Amino acid sequence: MAHSHDHGSHGQDVHGHSHGAGHLHGSTDKKRVLIAACLTGGFMVAEALGGLLTGSLALLADAGHMLADSIALGLAWYAFHLAGRPATVRLTYGFGRVKTLVAYTNGIAIFAIALWIVYEAWGRLIAPAPVLGGPMLVVAIAGLLVNILSFFVLHGGDRENLNMRGAILHVLGDLLGSAAAIVAALIILATGWTPIDPILSVLVSLLILSTAWSLMREAAHVLLEGVPASLDRDVIAKDLEGAVKGVREVHHMHVWSLDGSSNMATLHACLNDGVDAHMAVSAIKKRLAAEHGISHATVEPEFGHCADDDDDHDHSHDHAHHTAPHRGHYH
């Protein structure tokens, strides 16, 4: 079997540009996450002390968020750091998917924190504890300002990146926690009704849980190599069959994302007799990059029937297929 490696000038340009833009985003995102981690971790200690002194669950809940978030932001920073490393013989795609793995882990951490807050709040509702509204309000306002600063630092980053979105989600949870603590402090100062403290803590936790579930679901989809939400595999296959001259059929097509932003594909292209395989593969790559945002594709041209049909595999998930030896394997 002959093996050829065909990228084509356009394919190289697109692929190179994608890596360049990704590197630029990754560098600035890495700095943004590090700044947010330092801000969050620094204030977390003050808020935890404030929560213990005032007896406020809302402050302790927010401090708990900030503790986990400073750790999560540190992991997010390290994920960006790893993603900048080149591919190795053992990790041929490099470390890009570490960011998605960290995003998924962050979602699990948020779930755990939110459930702990709900548990603590239930205990406070059964046996209300005294809360010092004045000091609580001062600490909560300071926390809100720090979280707003962290949020704006992260908000300017690449929000298509799952790792960055996970970091933003953590800080957003802290921001909501601080806002809830402020409201609780004001109500306690005005009415003396302390149950508002655990009640608002639970409401914030429920809001965070729904967003965390969305993040985990998207990260899991990437880890399972599902088709990106913005793409339709069958539509892309039909487009190639109609737009690329000499392509009779596209089958055994797989489309996935490496890290939530860099899309990839593999496919078999059944060509008409007499078609130049090199030219057809180049045209397919150009079409995938220009029309569908797929920066890297592996295309296997075939004449006659598909050799894979001789294997005893279940191809029910593929677009369509034929049979006979293929000629060459193009990357």
Side-chain angles (χ1 to χ4, degrees):
M1 182 193 304
H3 291 270
S4 302
H5 298 272
D6 173 44
H7 289 284
S9 59
H10 180 91
Q12 285 181 330
D13 290 342
V14 172
H15 196 54
H17 175 74
S18 173
H19 276 298
H23 179 74
L24 180 62
H25 269 304
S27 178
T28 58
D29 289 349
K30 181 180 173 181
K31 293 176 182 177
R32 290 176 186 276
V33 169
L34 182 60
I35 292 171
C38 292
L39 288 171
T40 303
F43 190 77
M44 176 271 300
V45 177
E47 191 163 41
L49 291 174
L52 291 172
L53 292 174
T54 62
S56 169
L57 178 62
L59 283 183
L60 285 174
D62 198 36
H65 275 137
M66 295 185 84
L67 172 61
D69 292 353
S70 59
I71 295 172
L73 289 168
L75 287 173
W77 173 84
Y78 189 60
F80 280 118
H81 176 69
L82 282 179
R85 293 185 179 182
T88 68
V89 175
R90 299 288 294 173
L91 296 170
T92 56
Y93 278 126
F95 295 82
R97 188 158 283 186
V98 172
K99 295 180 290 185
T100 306
L101 185 60
V102 168
Y104 185 79
T105 305
N106 279 350
I108 295 176
I110 295 169
F111 255 86
I113 295 167
L115 291 175
W116 174 79
I117 293 170
V118 171
Y119 174 78
E120 286 294 317
W122 177 252
R124 290 289 186 95
L125 287 172
I126 295 175
V131 179
L132 301 176
M136 175 185 173
L137 180 61
V138 172
V139 175
I141 290 174
L144 181 67
L145 293 176
V146 170
N147 289 322
I148 288 174
L149 180 59
S150 297
F151 179 77
F152 277 108
V153 167
L154 293 176
H155 195 66
D158 180 14
R159 279 167 284 164
E160 294 299 314
N161 184 288
L162 281 176
N163 191 35
M164 178 58 76
R165 286 173 57 189
I168 292 174
L169 174 58
H170 275 287
V171 173
L172 183 60
D174 291 335
L175 198 154
L176 290 173
S178 295
I182 290 173
V183 173
L186 290 173
I187 292 176
I188 290 170
L189 286 173
T191 67
W193 192 55
T194 56
I196 189 63
D197 182 55
I199 289 172
L200 287 180
S201 298
V202 171
L203 290 177
V204 171
S205 296
L206 293 177
L207 288 174
I208 296 171
L209 278 174
S210 64
T211 314
W213 172 252
S214 176
L215 175 68
M216 288 175 63
R217 185 175 56 190
E218 289 188 46
H221 189 74
V222 172
L223 292 173
L224 290 171
E225 298 191 345
V227 178
S230 60
L231 301 176
D232 186 315
R233 182 198 65 171
D234 294 344
V235 169
I236 295 173
K238 288 292 185 183
D239 175 67
L240 293 176
E241 291 169 355
V244 179
K245 186 178 180 181
V247 175
R248 185 170 75 252
E249 183 188 13
V250 170
H251 55 267
H252 291 336
M253 185 172 190
H254 300 273
V255 180
W256 73 98
S257 175
L258 186 62
D259 57 6
S261 58
S262 178
N263 298 325
M264 313 182 80
T266 60
L267 61 95
H268 292 194
C270 189
L271 307 179
N272 294 321
D273 291 338
V275 171
D276 186 307
H278 178 88
M279 295 297 292
V281 169
S282 295
I284 289 171
K285 286 175 175 284
K286 290 177 182 179
R287 184 73 181 180
L288 288 172
E291 299 298 325
H292 304 289
I294 297 175
S295 58
H296 181 86
T298 299
V299 181
E300 182 172 333
E302 299 170 343
F303 295 89
H305 82 236
C306 176
D308 284 1
D309 285 347
D310 296 334
D311 298 332
D312 185 20
H313 294 306
D314 176 16
H315 298 296
S316 59
H317 61 284
D318 292 322
H319 178 60
H321 32 276
H322 295 289
T323 42
H326 55 281
R327 300 178 187 171
H329 189 81
Y330 288 72
H331 297 281

